[in-house]
């Protein structure tokens, strides 16, 4: 082959067929099998294959060697920041989490130029079911490092909110932007991902009749364990967990984090007549700072029952630093998921009328629906639930028409 050609043909050891070899900018060396032992035919094929590769590279459709996996790792290396720069480091950690958990798992070694719009929507579908029926369905904890220590975070086996998908799409777009800046893809060829409008996705809750059925069964199951002190205590804790969740609207995490010191005024109020007892609660959830909430007046009885049960089991009163929801050994309860699921199945209330499965979070949704039904101002409710008005309007404003029928049917006069 003459030296003025930008490519060469050669034969591999042990093979009679000819091969084509050349290099292109940003693609490295490329080898293509010509599938013929005839030298003259190989020369003709080589010219065609080379011209085809040049055309594909110019139009960003060449199956290049830069895989998504390698590109994503280079992108992370380019944005890695020292922990002293808190904002940049937080951005790096957020991108790293999405890339390592989801994007690398799905796109893997796929060439960046081979990822087109249909592939992105295939990813969205895969990501939506990741924790329910997908690869993460059997994963119960995620391990990560916090200040050099390994920490386990429990997994929620549920579909992501649209807001979550949008945040993760920002990471995907950032990888493609980096690819364009680095010359691995034309910016005009970056595939677009439209996630559409936020769906309302109404949350499964309980009717008051269903809550009554659930608590009645829970009480019966407590009575059934009269000769088993520890099992009876565990079932009492579940009963109280449900009662307090319905009367406060607290998130499961906030309930698990609850200490007796966070029940403001509890010990003083215990000395008052039942009808006069009032408490406030400092909730510790997503942030480090507590947020005070006002519970329904009926919540006091459940706290009273937990206090008395702790005293009977341990023969002393709980300390302010002790957890409200404690196991039989006095340690903090990590989850009521299994016992709650057993109770829900026994009461035939695991799913609502639309087939949506209920969880501990459903009691929060029940609280919100009940507050709206009784006419609580949505702005005040949002403050008490430690959420936004937008979330209240989006997820909890679907009050059943019968609940407001009297108001809707009344005369305009």
């Amino acid at each position: 082959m003459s030296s003025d050609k930008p490519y060469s043909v050669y034969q591999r050891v042990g093979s009679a067929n000819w091969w084509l070899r050349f290099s292109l900018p940003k693609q490295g060396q490329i080898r293509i099998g010509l599938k013929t032992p005839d030298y003259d035919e190989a020369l003709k094929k080589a010219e065609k294959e080379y011209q085809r590769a040049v055309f594909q590279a110019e139009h960003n459709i060449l199956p290049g060697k830069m895989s998504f996996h390698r590109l994503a790792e280079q992108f992370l290396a380019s944005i890695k920041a020292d922990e002293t720069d808190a904002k940049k480091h937080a951005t790096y950690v957020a991108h790293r989490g999405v890339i390592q958990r989801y994007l690398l798992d799905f796109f893997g070694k796929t060439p960046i130029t081979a990822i087109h719009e249909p592939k992105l929507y295939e990813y969205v579908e895969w990501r939506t079911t990741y924790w329910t029926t997908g690869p993460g369905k059997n994963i119960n904890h995620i391990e990560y490092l916090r200040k050099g220590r390994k920490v386990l975070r429990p997994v929620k086996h549920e579909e992501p909110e649209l807001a979550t998908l949008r945040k993760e799409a920002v990471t995907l777009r950032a990888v493609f932007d980096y690819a364009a800046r680095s010359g691995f893809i034309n910016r005009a060829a970056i595939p677009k991902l439209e996630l559409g409008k936020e769906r309302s996705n109404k949350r499964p809750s309980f009717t008051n009749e269903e809550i009554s059925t659930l608590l009645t069964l829970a009480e019966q199951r407590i009575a059934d364990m009269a000769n088993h002190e520890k099992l009876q205590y565990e079932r009492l804790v579940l009963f109280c967990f449900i009662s307090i969740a319905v009367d406060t609207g607290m998130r499961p995490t906030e309930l698990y984090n609850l200490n007796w010191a966070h029940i403001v005024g509890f010990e003083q109020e215990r000395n008052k007549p039942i009808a006069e007892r009032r408490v406030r609660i400092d909730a510790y959830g997503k942030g480090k700072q507590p947020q005070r909430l006002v519970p329904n007046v009926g919540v006091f009885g459940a706290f009273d029952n937990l206090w008395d049960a702790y005293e009977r089991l341990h023969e002393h009163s709980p300390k302010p630093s002790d957890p409200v929801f404690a196991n039989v050994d006095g340690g903090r309860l990590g989850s009521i998921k299994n016992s709650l699921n057993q109770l829900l199945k026994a009461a035939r209330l695991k799913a609502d009328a639309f087939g949506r499965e209920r969880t501990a979070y459903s009691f929060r949704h029940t609280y919100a629906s009940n507050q709206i039904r009784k006419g609580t101002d949505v702005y005040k409710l949002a403050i008490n639930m430690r959420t936004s008005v937008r979330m209240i309007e989006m997820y909890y404003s679907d009050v059943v028409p019968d609940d407001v029928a009297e108001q809707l049917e009344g005369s305009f006069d």
Side-chain angles (χ1 to χ4, degrees), residues 46 80 157 359 399 402:
K80 189 172 183 179
H157 292 280
T359 65
V399 178
D402 286 347

Side-chain angles (χ1 to χ4, degrees), residues 137-150:
K137 66 180 180 180
N138 296 321
I139 300 174
N140 295 316
H141 295 86
I142 293 177
E143 183 180 294
Y144 62 97
L145 290 176
R146 177 187 290 173
K147 295 182 179 178
R149 295 177 56 193
K150 288 185 178 180

Side-chain angles (χ1 to χ4, degrees), residues 144-322:
Y144 62 97
L145 290 176
R146 177 187 290 173
K147 295 182 179 178
R149 295 177 56 193
K150 288 185 178 180
V151 180
L152 291 179
R153 177 171 65 81
V155 165
K156 292 182 179 180
H157 292 280
E158 58 189 26
E159 292 187 359
E161 298 294 340
L162 184 57
T164 300
L165 292 176
R166 282 176 170 165
K167 287 180 182 178
E168 294 174 2
V170 171
T171 299
L172 182 58
R173 174 71 190 200
V175 175
F176 274 102
D177 283 341
Y178 174 79
R181 291 196 306 271
S182 303
F184 294 111
I185 190 172
N186 290 333
R187 187 164 296 278
I190 296 178
K192 294 182 180 180
L193 178 61
E194 299 290 343
L195 291 174
K197 294 182 179 179
E198 191 126 22
R199 56 190 186 273
S200 60
N201 190 25
K202 303 302 183 184
R203 309 289 181 85
S205 60
F206 297 89
T207 65
N208 290 331
E209 291 76 15
E210 288 173 330
I211 288 295
S212 178
T213 298
L214 195 63
L215 291 176
T216 298
L217 179 58
E219 281 186 306
Q220 181 59 53
R221 287 161 64 88
I222 294 171
D224 292 342
M225 292 293 109
N227 298 323
H228 302 274
E229 184 182 30
K230 292 185 177 180
L231 287 176
Q232 187 177 53
Y233 171 79
E234 290 174 350
R235 292 189 173 185
L236 174 67
V237 169
L238 176 61
F239 174 88
C240 293
F241 185 98
I242 296 171
S243 301
I244 293 169
V246 171
D247 278 328
T248 63
M250 295 176 70
R251 300 178 178 90
T253 301
E254 294 172 336
L255 291 167
Y256 297 138
N257 290 341
L258 205 57
N259 293 342
W260 285 106
H262 303 152
I263 317 301
V264 182
F266 177 76
E267 291 193 69
Q268 296 85 343
E269 295 293 309
R270 273 169 62 88
N271 299 320
K272 295 182 180 180
I274 294 177
E276 297 178 12
R277 295 176 181 176
R278 299 289 186 276
V279 292
R280 299 292 180 264
I281 299 175
D282 288 335
Y284 288 79
K286 296 180 178 180
K288 295 182 179 180
Q289 296 301 318
Q291 292 180 290
R292 184 158 296 188
L293 64 96
V294 180
N296 282 354
V297 293
V299 76
F300 204 99
F303 285 130
D304 233 0
N305 287 336
L306 286 172
W307 182 280
D308 292 341
Y310 185 96
E311 287 185 327
R312 288 194 300 272
L313 189 64
H314 299 285
E315 299 182 348
H316 65 84
S317 299
K319 293 178 283 191
S321 59
D322 284 334

Side-chain angles (χ1 to χ4, degrees), residues 210 213-215 217-218 221 341-350:
E210 288 173 330
T213 298
L214 195 63
L215 291 176
L217 179 58
R221 287 161 64 88
N341 281 339
Q342 291 176 13
L343 178 63
L344 289 173
K345 290 175 182 177
R348 297 182 179 179
L349 293 173
K350 179 56 181 171

